[in-house]
Amino acid sequence: MASERPCPADDFSIYYVLAECTDHYDSSPVKEVEENQPHSQGVTGLRNLGNTCYMNAILQCLCSISPLVEYFLSGKYITALQKDCSEVATAFAYVMTDMWLGDSECVSPEIFRSAFGNLYPAFMKKTQQDAQEFLIYVLNELHESLKKCHRKSCGKGSIPRCCRKTIANEVSIITQLFEGQLNYSIMCLKCENCTYKNEVFTILCLPIPSDYECSLQDCLQCFFQQDTLTWHNQIHCSFCETKQETAVRASISKAPKVIIFHLKRFDILGTMKRKLRTDIHYPLTNLDLSPYICPVFRKHPKYNLCAVVNHFGDLDGGHYTAFCKNSVTQAW
């Protein structure tokens, strides 16, 4: 990837946070502690517990998002905890507290890893895992622990938020910050009947349209361009009463306060799976999403970059790192 500042050329995922959203949160607890500490708060390393770079990179990014930091450091999460599935959220709060309020330059996320591994044993193995998959399940478990309306027990069978529809009254700090909604317009190309479908998302997986060089806007345009479904992908039309070729276009009907992009660097070419090493240029400030948001919902469409997860290596192995913007010092 390439940007306006020096940054490694092999970024895997990007995280954008609304510039306006930090104005609604009081960051004074962090600032007060900073004055009494010898090192910058939030600038704390995480120990590698054996191929846990994927976990550490994601935790560093989550612990750099100002409203999430304020929520956990202020203790607001305690009153929202669900007694039957609070272990992961409590362990996450411990990591957040150690990183922001501790006096050590490096802390161990072992308690969090143990709590999370009790639900998902695959992440307890000392083997490399996918950072995006880890992020999906972390956000889901935090939501399950902190949602206001608890209608079902949580556990190994929990469905990630990005894979299911909105359930009434299930609101948490995770949905408030990360959850958005896509609107799909689906038009039959024979009778031109148009229907609409909504889909909740927490991560937008963006295709990379070039093998050499492109911009983040190019990736967004590719994702939101109209797609024609033909042959085996045809959709049943209720007016024609048969499957027809269909034009599908997505737009954002609800923009999240924090938007997460996953760049799809792993691609299948014939029978071979490869990693795309395309340089992708992206802005550090004022990413404009208004072209992809439904006109009636175009409120605060610009985002500033707050963290990046990088993957170095190939399909057989590699290493994850993170670049995060400190909310107190504003430094990367």
Side-chain angles (χ1 to χ4, degrees):
M1 252 182 173
S3 73
E4 298 169 8
R5 296 184 185 179
C7 204
D10 196 21
D11 293 346
F12 184 68
S13 303
I14 307 178
Y15 301 78
Y16 278 90
V17 60
L18 262 175
E20 293 87 349
C21 79
T22 57
D23 295 338
H24 302 301
Y25 295 87
D26 178 13
S27 58
S28 57
V30 176
K31 292 181 179 178
E32 289 174 2
V33 175
E34 182 205 17
E35 296 174 357
N36 300 319
Q37 296 295 336
H39 70 284
S40 297
Q41 296 307 292
V43 186
T44 305
L46 292 172
R47 289 192 178 90
N48 194 317
L49 304 177
N51 285 325
T52 58
C53 57
Y54 69 92
M55 177 183 72
N56 290 358
I58 293 298
L59 290 178
Q60 286 283 5
C61 290
L62 291 177
C63 291
S64 70
I65 298 174
S66 297
L68 197 62
V69 172
E70 192 275 338
Y71 180 81
F72 278 94
L73 295 191
S74 67
K76 294 178 182 178
Y77 78 95
I78 296 175
T79 58
L81 280 175
Q82 301 294 328
K83 293 182 180 180
D84 55 347
C85 56
S86 62
E87 189 177 2
V88 170
T90 302
F92 181 80
Y94 289 161
V95 173
M96 184 83 77
T97 302
D98 287 343
M99 292 184 67
W100 279 95
L101 305 184
D103 56 6
S104 175
E105 294 184 354
C106 183
V107 299
S108 173
E110 186 172 357
I111 294 177
F112 176 83
R113 185 185 181 220
S114 177
F116 195 77
N118 288 336
L119 295 177
Y120 303 100
F123 293 107
M124 282 296 289
K125 299 177 182 178
K126 292 188 176 182
T127 56
Q128 187 63 272
Q129 303 292 332
D130 182 74
Q132 184 216 6
E133 181 181 2
F134 176 76
L135 173 62
I136 289 173
Y137 285 102
V138 168
L139 293 180
N140 181 64
E141 289 307 321
L142 290 178
H143 167 74
E144 291 295 325
S145 298
L146 302 168
K147 64 186 181 183
K148 291 182 179 179
C149 178
H150 187 61
R151 291 187 173 182
K152 63 176 182 178
S153 60
C154 61
K156 298 179 182 179
S158 297
I159 303 173
R161 293 290 300 175
C162 61
C163 299
R164 58 188 169 98
K165 299 289 172 46
T166 303
I167 299 177
N169 298 323
E170 285 195 353
V171 179
S172 69
I173 185 64
I174 302 303
T175 60
Q176 291 171 358
L177 293 180
F178 299 99
E179 191 168 273
Q181 184 168 278
L182 292 174
N183 175 266
Y184 290 93
S185 63
I186 306 167
M187 185 179 71
C188 173
L189 294 181
K190 182 178 181 180
C191 69
E192 298 187 349
N193 174 55
C194 194
T195 57
Y196 298 91
K197 176 184 177 182
N198 290 322
E199 182 179 279
V200 169
F201 74 88
T202 51
I203 298 176
L204 282 184
C205 295
L206 303 181
I208 300 175
S210 170
D211 286 346
Y212 305 103
E213 185 177 13
C214 65
S215 68
L216 183 61
Q217 286 288 2
D218 293 329
C219 298
L220 286 165
Q221 288 173 11
C222 187
F223 179 88
F224 287 103
Q225 70 182 359
Q226 181 172 294
D227 190 19
T228 302
L229 304 181
T230 62
W231 297 96
H232 299 295
N233 294 320
Q234 292 180 353
I235 294 178
H236 185 272
C237 175
S238 58
F239 276 65
C240 298
E241 296 185 346
T242 183
K243 288 186 176 182
Q244 298 289 348
E245 292 187 354
T246 308
V248 179
R249 182 186 291 274
S251 61
I252 298 175
S253 55
K254 176 191 173 186
K257 292 181 179 179
V258 179
I259 189 164
I260 303 172
F261 297 122
H262 166 228
L263 300 178
K264 299 168 67 175
R265 288 199 175 274
F266 294 106
D267 183 36
I268 297 178
L269 183 63
T271 58
M272 299 292 293
K273 194 173 183 180
R274 60 172 182 161
K275 180 178 179 180
L276 299 175
R277 302 187 181 276
T278 308
D279 286 337
I280 300 177
H281 300 269
Y282 56 91
L284 297 183
T285 60
N286 295 324
L287 173 70
D288 188 3
L289 292 185
S290 58
Y292 318 110
I293 299 177
C294 298
V296 294
F297 299 110
R298 285 180 184 169
K299 182 180 179 181
H300 305 313
K302 293 184 178 180
Y303 294 77
N304 294 335
L305 184 70
C306 77
V308 181
V309 173
N310 310 286
H311 178 264
F312 301 93
D314 51 30
L315 298 173
D316 298 324
H319 182 61
Y320 286 99
T321 61
F323 280 77
C324 305
K325 185 176 182 179
N326 186 276
S327 59
V328 176
T329 65
Q330 298 299 304
W332 285 84

